[in-house]
Amino acid sequence: MKKILLIEANKAFAKLIATKLRVETGYDVIPAGTLAEARVLAGTQRFELAVTGLDLPDGAGAEAVDFLLAQKIPPLALVEEYDERVKRLLEGKLIVDVLLKRTTEDLNILGSTVKRVLANRRVKALVVDDAMTYRVMMKDLLESQFFRVFEASDGVEALKMLEEHPDIKLVITDYYMPNMDGFELVTRIRKKHKKERLSIIVLSGAQAEDVAAKFLKFGANDYIKKPFSDEEFNVRVNLNAENMDLIESIHRMANSDFMTGLYNRRYFFETGNKEHQKAAREGTKLCVAMLDIDHFKRVNDTYGHDAGDEAIKKFARILQDMLPETCLIARFGGEEFCVLMPAADASKAKGLLETVRKAVEAQSMVYGELEFGFTVSAGVCSKQLPHLEEMVNQADAMLYEAKHGGRNRIRVA
């Protein structure tokens, strides 16, 4: 399990912090009451992050922060007051953040901040600036926030980098650059990358009052005026990352089945129609399968609806585990699922679904003190019909045949 080092002299407060961080992150939190204890722990264990107070019995001021930085353990400082003394102590040090530790709300902010920066590990960020000094500075700041950082010296390089890494989620670009300035870069990026999928922050020392509005109108998510403080930069960057996560979460809820986490019927047809059109255009194979749990009403009546729900979740997991990632799997409702299988002919589709059928047949469900099994049937349409909905209907007809043919079997049209 991944670990967070907590250095805090107040044992009661350390216990509250540790509980909060475990709940928010799922990480193991290892406490140390002194800097000496922290040194021992850091020498024997690996930590992803450290949360430390500044006033320790054997390490006043920024001594703990300096130690953690030397050990390459990113530190987050906790203070009673964020005053000029603290600012001077931490000036120039690449720390995660400085937060207060006075109230319950402070603990909530600590929990959400740590959760945010740990989530940044999966976020790729691109820094675009022709001035190497600024590039290095921003790269260091972003890495202190756990982002995966790429660099480009101008807009032309930036566009190439985005082609190579289309999963970049955050672009931080200067305005004035050779070859292609920030405004043209923002405009070009927005032709391919939607605002809710990729966030652009523009940096500029331009004095004109309308520069920020101009960038925001034409696709930037945020604007930071040079010179800026490390704190402002980190806050803006993390807010943009958090906003993208929130939008992604909303999209996921709109497109997903609440019980299984699989895609829902609406998303299946929205995305599946594109795959259907692509297959028709390129002349490639495409199969559609309908599957459901045999005698599902009997499962509900015998073992209860909660057990039935667990059976649905189990079946969903088997579908995800056994079918290739290229398959589009959706729960249509109740115990009924639909799978779109690109580049699959009848033989391949039946083979893949046989592995699913056998896996379901072999498993045993344990729910509380109950133990039971179930089987599934499937129908497949392997003929390219003019519309996806027609293929779904044909697969459903084959599923009907499988049911009336004895269940626990697959029928292919």
Side-chain angles (χ1 to χ4, degrees):
M1 180 182 287
K2 293 182 178 180
K3 299 173 184 178
I4 295 172
L5 175 60
L6 171 61
I7 313 173
E8 172 56 52
N10 185 322
K11 290 184 178 180
F13 199 67
K15 188 174 181 180
L16 290 174
I17 295 172
T19 301
K20 185 66 177 178
L21 293 179
R22 288 188 187 106
V23 169
E24 290 287 349
T25 68
Y27 283 31
D28 193 11
V29 182
I30 310 298
T34 65
L35 183 53
E37 289 178 30
R39 291 182 191 277
V40 173
L41 290 169
T44 57
Q45 302 182 49
R46 184 178 183 276
F47 295 98
E48 305 296 313
L49 174 75
V51 176
T52 182
L54 295 186
D55 297 316
L56 301 169
D58 56 345
E63 194 174 342
V65 169
D66 291 335
F67 164 71
L68 293 166
L69 288 171
Q71 296 295 310
K72 299 191 183 321
I73 304 173
L76 186 153
L78 290 180
V79 297
E80 295 285 351
E81 296 288 341
Y82 189 28
D83 53 21
E84 289 302 318
R85 181 186 75 90
V86 171
K87 290 180 181 179
R88 284 195 302 273
L89 283 172
L90 300 176
E91 187 175 3
K93 301 181 189 300
L94 281 172
I95 65 174
V96 175
D97 210 340
V98 186
L99 298 176
L100 298 175
K101 56 170 185 177
R102 299 176 302 188
T103 66
T104 303
E105 183 54 31
D106 292 336
L107 281 182
N108 291 335
I109 293 171
L110 170 63
S112 60
T113 299
V114 171
K115 185 178 180 181
R116 170 72 262 150
V117 296
L118 292 174
N120 289 343
R121 288 189 182 279
R122 55 184 169 77
V123 180
K124 290 182 178 180
L126 173 62
V127 175
V128 191
D129 200 311
D130 61 311
M132 183 179 290
T133 304
Y134 259 108
R135 273 208 320 275
V136 171
M137 179 196 69
M138 289 188 287
K139 181 175 183 290
D140 288 344
L141 287 172
L142 288 166
E143 287 180 343
S144 78
Q145 301 299 300
F146 291 46
F147 290 98
R148 299 163 61 189
V149 187
F150 299 82
E151 297 178 62
S153 61
D154 60 32
V156 176
E157 274 190 26
L159 291 176
K160 288 179 182 177
M161 192 66 72
L162 283 168
E163 287 291 330
E164 294 172 13
H165 300 275
D167 56 341
I168 285 173
K169 295 286 188 181
L170 180 65
V171 174
I172 302 161
T173 179
D174 191 27
Y175 181 7
Y176 297 114
M177 297 181 292
N179 302 319
M180 182 188 296
D181 67 15
F183 183 71
E184 185 179 350
L185 175 61
V186 170
T187 305
R188 295 275 293 273
I189 289 174
R190 283 296 172 240
K191 289 180 180 179
K192 287 190 175 182
H193 302 271
K194 293 181 179 180
K195 205 169 184 178
E196 63 268 24
R197 300 294 184 185
L198 185 150
S199 187
I200 303 174
I201 302 175
V202 177
L203 311 173
S204 177
Q207 298 302 311
E209 293 182 359
D210 65 341
V211 171
K214 180 181 178 183
F215 272 108
L216 294 172
K217 279 183 179 180
F218 284 87
N221 297 71
D222 206 348
Y223 180 91
I224 305 176
K225 191 170 183 177
K226 293 180 178 178
F228 50 82
S229 68
D230 293 357
E231 189 172 21
E232 180 187 7
F233 181 88
N234 289 340
V235 168
R236 295 286 191 94
V237 163
N238 279 305
L239 280 174
N240 276 272
E242 190 167 356
N243 285 339
M244 281 192 297
D245 279 356
L246 289 171
I247 292 169
E248 186 177 322
S249 177
I250 291 168
H251 278 290
R252 188 165 55 248
M253 287 189 288
N255 295 326
S256 300
D257 168 59
F258 75 98
M259 182 186 291
T260 63
L262 296 177
Y263 292 118
N264 57 24
R265 184 187 186 100
R266 186 190 69 80
Y267 183 85
F268 178 88
F269 281 104
E270 182 181 292
T271 304
N273 276 320
K274 295 175 185 175
E275 287 290 339
H276 180 270
Q277 291 164 12
K278 180 183 176 183
R281 186 170 61 251
E282 297 178 359
T284 55
K285 299 288 185 180
L286 184 76
C287 287
V288 174
M290 290 293 296
L291 309 93
D292 76 5
I293 297 173
D294 295 326
H295 297 298
F296 185 68
K297 186 177 184 301
R298 187 185 300 169
V299 172
N300 276 337
D301 291 345
T302 305
Y303 304 105
H305 288 276
D306 288 344
D309 288 348
E310 290 303 312
I312 288 172
K313 292 176 189 176
K314 179 71 173 180
F315 183 29
R317 287 194 294 271
I318 291 173
L319 286 170
Q320 288 177 301
D321 292 342
M322 295 294 176
L323 295 178
E325 289 185 3
T326 51
C327 290
L328 177 61
I329 310 169
R331 182 186 178 209
F332 270 25
E335 74 277 23
E336 191 173 55
F337 296 78
C338 190
V339 181
L340 185 143
M341 311 170 83
D345 57 15
S347 176
K348 182 177 179 180
K350 186 172 183 180
L352 289 170
L353 294 172
E354 270 295 324
T355 65
V356 171
R357 186 194 65 77
K358 290 176 181 177
V360 173
E361 186 179 33
Q363 58 83 43
S364 179
M365 283 285 300
V366 177
Y367 182 72
E369 297 180 356
L370 304 173
E371 185 173 351
F372 63 95
F374 61 90
T375 61
V376 297
S377 298
V380 182
C381 174
S382 62
K383 182 181 178 182
Q384 290 278 19
L385 299 176
H387 301 286
L388 177 61
E389 191 169 356
E390 294 176 89
M391 295 185 71
V392 170
N393 290 338
Q394 182 64 58
D396 199 38
M398 291 298 99
L399 173 60
Y400 181 83
E401 284 193 14
K403 292 286 187 184
H404 284 265
R407 293 182 171 82
N408 193 22
R409 63 196 64 214
I410 298 165
R411 289 287 182 266
V412 181

